Amino acid sequence: MALSYIAKKGFFDNVDHGKLLKQMWTMGIQDKNLLCIISAMLKAEIEGIGIPSKGVPQGGLCSPLFSNVVLNELDWWISDQWESYETSYPYKRNEGKIRAIRRGSKLKECYIIRYCDDFKIMCPTRDVAERMFVAAKLWLKERLNLEISPEKSKITNLRKKSSEFLGFKIKAVVKGRKRVANSNIKPSAVVKIIAKGKDLIKKIQKNSADKNVSLYNSYVLGT
């Protein structure tokens, strides 16, 4: 299983304002007063820089939502390449549809996993991954006017190497007669988790109030 990992170059700094507002309108957000407020938010003056012509405020509460609106088209474009591809025959089970497409088409088998502006495209072979890598790169540039980060974007064979995503290391390992995803927290994240746990323990040592104990228990449970 090959994996095409693509990260956008300065995504939050390069979002096209006009494109974002048009996407919102197309999605059904057609309250003109609301769109005017969002437009004003996007064009709010930044101290030392001035009025931005593109991009969304980094760290803003709405920025993750804006990224989902912008990249919603990408999700569906990749999905339509394979996962939600419409066939003339109405298959009752998705497994039958997939087997038929594999046998009778030259479509690129792929699945997208995205969180905010980071995403991975899962492909069965390196050849498919390489084609999807180029196709996604061109689509982002031509459709959304976004460029990928050469340093962070790459193709990884998950059978041989692990790949990091959202603080986890993922690798395809053999289990019985098939391969399954094996995920672990990446080492740098483990260090941060332990450090925060120690800080919570110190609070309990200084003051064993129920509040501090509950915070620690909640943290351990969440982790």
Side-chain angles (χ1 to χ4, degrees):
M1 180 185 294
L3 175 146
S4 177
Y5 171 49
I6 303 178
K8 271 66 68 232
K9 185 177 181 181
F11 173 81
F12 289 104
D13 294 329
N14 291 286
V15 170
D16 186 302
H17 291 171
K19 177 67 177 176
L20 172 59
L21 293 171
K22 287 179 182 177
Q23 287 174 312
M24 288 184 171
W25 182 273
T26 303
M27 292 174 71
I29 303 172
Q30 298 179 359
D31 184 318
K32 293 184 179 180
N33 290 328
L34 175 59
L35 291 175
C36 284
I37 291 171
I38 293 173
S39 179
M41 288 171 57
L42 296 173
K43 291 178 169 56
E45 186 173 356
I46 301 173
E47 187 176 356
I49 297 177
I51 299 174
S53 58
K54 59 182 180 178
V56 296
Q58 291 198 36
L61 294 176
C62 292
S63 295
L65 175 61
F66 292 152
S67 70
N68 283 332
V69 171
V70 172
L71 295 175
N72 180 60
E73 285 187 42
L74 174 73
D75 295 343
W76 283 108
W77 174 71
I78 292 178
S79 179
D80 288 342
Q81 303 300 307
W82 179 264
E83 194 171 5
S84 57
Y85 180 78
E86 291 292 337
T87 58
S88 56
Y89 182 83
Y91 291 94
K92 293 182 180 180
R93 293 175 62 87
N94 195 46
E95 293 84 351
K97 173 185 171 182
I98 290 174
R99 282 196 295 269
I101 295 176
R102 282 173 177 165
R103 287 197 306 267
S105 76
K106 295 183 180 179
L107 294 176
K108 298 182 285 291
E109 184 173 353
C110 56
Y111 300 87
I112 185 171
I113 303 166
R114 182 176 67 81
Y115 182 83
C116 206
D117 64 321
D118 282 336
F119 65 89
K120 290 184 183 289
I121 304 173
M122 311 298 291
C123 308
T125 66
R126 185 171 186 88
D127 177 61
V128 173
E130 288 175 346
R131 286 190 286 161
M132 281 305 302
F133 189 95
V134 174
K137 177 181 177 181
L138 290 173
W139 194 93
L140 284 167
K141 179 62 178 175
E142 294 173 1
R143 183 78 180 185
L144 302 180
N145 198 28
L146 294 171
E147 295 183 1
I148 68 169
S149 170
E151 299 80 19
K152 296 180 180 179
S153 304
K154 59 183 178 180
I155 295 173
T156 303
N157 186 338
L158 290 182
R159 294 188 181 99
K160 297 179 180 179
K161 295 181 180 180
S162 60
S163 179
E164 293 185 358
F165 188 57
L166 304 178
F168 288 88
K169 290 176 65 177
I170 307 166
K171 189 176 181 181
V173 299
V174 177
K175 185 176 182 180
R177 296 184 178 180
K178 60 183 180 180
R179 289 183 182 270
V180 299
N182 181 33
S183 59
N184 295 287
I185 301 173
K186 66 180 184 180
S188 58
V190 172
V191 172
K192 292 180 180 179
I193 288 170
I194 293 173
K196 186 172 180 179
K198 287 181 176 179
D199 288 340
L200 292 172
I201 290 172
K202 289 178 181 177
K203 288 184 179 180
I204 295 173
Q205 290 173 337
K206 292 179 180 178
N207 185 354
S208 59
D210 290 343
K211 179 182 177 181
N212 290 335
V213 175
S214 294
L215 281 173
Y216 176 76
N217 289 338
S218 298
Y219 180 71
V220 172
L221 182 62
T223 303

